[in-house]
Amino acid sequence: MAAASGSVLLQRCVVSPAGRHSASLIFLHGSGDSGQGLRRRIKEVLNQDLTFQHIKIIYPTAPLSYTIGPSFARFKISSDCPEHLESIDIMCQVLTDLIDDEVKSGIKKNRILVGGFSMGGCMAMHLAYRNHQDVAGVFALSSFLNKASAVYQALQKSDGVLPELFQCHGTADELVLHSWGEETNSMLKSLGVSAKFHSFPDVYHELSKTELEKLKSWILTKLPGEPERQS
């Protein structure tokens, strides 16, 4: 697996913190998008970049060579079909390299958040709950896990404290059904995850301003700014 990840060049679009860097956020895009594209869409919705005083935001672009959609391969968009674990595991390894880079730069694992939109949110749940249960938290926007997901299997064997999950879903989403998101949330809760689920009426498979503002508040509760050191 490591050999596979070594050949993957992960492009990164980075929004630097306004002040001293003390935490990092990895924001994964959905199918047919890119890190740059996701950043641009967030900027359009908020009328400004998503920025923080102390948090660096990394929008990686998944390598197309491994995928049908650019996060990992999927047989079809359905909660019933099996997961394409080979491509998911390759992406988990590539994203682990990204987390390791942040740790090497001096950021603790418990000061790193992972999340994403659509397939990106699904990928974030695989990354955190199967490989990095010591990150600060996970967020999934308009996302779901398949009914027999490897994430559920991994959590059945886990007995430690798990990262909190923040989920958002539009009730009018016709691509990834709202009920799939609810089902994922309930299943994760039953396996010991502290999971929040926020529904947004009349929102389709898209990012909304209210959702992003709620996400921003949650990010700051999980990655608060560190108090100024006394001189």
Side-chain angles (χ1 to χ4, degrees):
M1 193 60 71
S5 77
S7 61
V8 176
L9 183 65
L10 199 64
Q11 291 180 309
R12 305 169 190 184
C13 172
V14 175
V15 179
S16 297
R20 192 177 75 82
H21 177 207
S22 68
S24 296
L25 168 67
I26 298 169
F27 206 143
L28 306 173
H29 63 80
S31 181
D33 205 354
S34 65
Q36 192 77 45
L38 176 60
R39 178 188 176 182
R40 192 165 50 242
R41 282 198 298 139
I42 289 171
K43 200 171 179 176
E44 284 166 4
V45 173
L46 292 176
N47 293 317
Q48 60 183 35
D49 250 327
L50 180 64
T51 55
F52 297 92
Q53 190 67 24
H54 59 290
I55 306 169
K56 174 166 92 173
I57 305 178
I58 306 161
Y59 298 99
T61 294
L64 288 166
S65 56
Y66 281 106
T67 59
I68 296 166
S71 291
F72 55 88
R74 182 175 266 168
F75 295 113
K76 62 176 180 172
I77 299 175
S78 164
S79 65
D80 294 324
C81 72
E83 291 175 319
H84 197 295
L85 268 184
E86 185 187 354
S87 64
I88 291 173
D89 288 346
I90 288 169
M91 277 311 302
C92 278
Q93 184 58 56
V94 173
L95 291 164
T96 289
D97 292 346
L98 184 55
I99 290 173
D100 289 346
D101 285 350
E102 290 307 293
V103 172
K104 282 173 197 161
S105 77
I107 303 300
K108 292 176 184 160
K109 278 281 280 297
N110 65 4
R111 296 282 293 166
I112 297 174
L113 272 178
V114 296
F117 173 75
S118 194
M119 278 174 90
C122 175
M123 190 70 234
M125 290 187 276
H126 274 273
L127 181 65
Y129 294 120
R130 290 177 59 215
N131 301 280
H132 299 281
Q133 294 182 357
D134 49 351
V135 293
V138 188
F139 63 91
L141 315 177
S142 309
S143 304
F144 75 104
L145 291 169
N146 299 54
K147 281 182 176 166
S149 177
V151 173
Y152 301 146
Q153 293 164 37
L155 290 176
Q156 282 165 357
K157 300 169 194 159
S158 174
D159 56 4
V161 178
L162 299 163
E164 184 178 285
L165 173 68
F166 177 91
Q167 240 182 307
C168 294
H169 217 113
T171 60
D173 193 334
E174 293 168 346
L175 185 68
V176 174
L177 301 185
H178 181 266
S179 60
W180 297 352
E182 282 185 310
E183 196 176 279
T184 298
N185 194 274
S186 297
M187 191 67 184
L188 289 170
K189 269 185 181 162
S190 75
L191 292 165
V193 176
S194 172
K196 296 175 180 176
F197 189 87
H198 302 279
S199 299
F200 293 85
D202 306 319
V203 172
Y204 293 86
H205 195 66
E206 62 192 342
L207 294 163
S208 78
K209 188 170 185 180
T210 317
E211 166 190 49
L212 288 174
E213 284 168 349
K214 200 176 269 287
L215 173 64
K216 189 168 184 175
S217 298
W218 178 79
I219 289 167
L220 287 170
T221 66
K222 303 313 291 181
L223 299 176
E226 295 183 326
E228 292 295 319
R229 289 191 174 90
Q230 298 298 313
S231 55

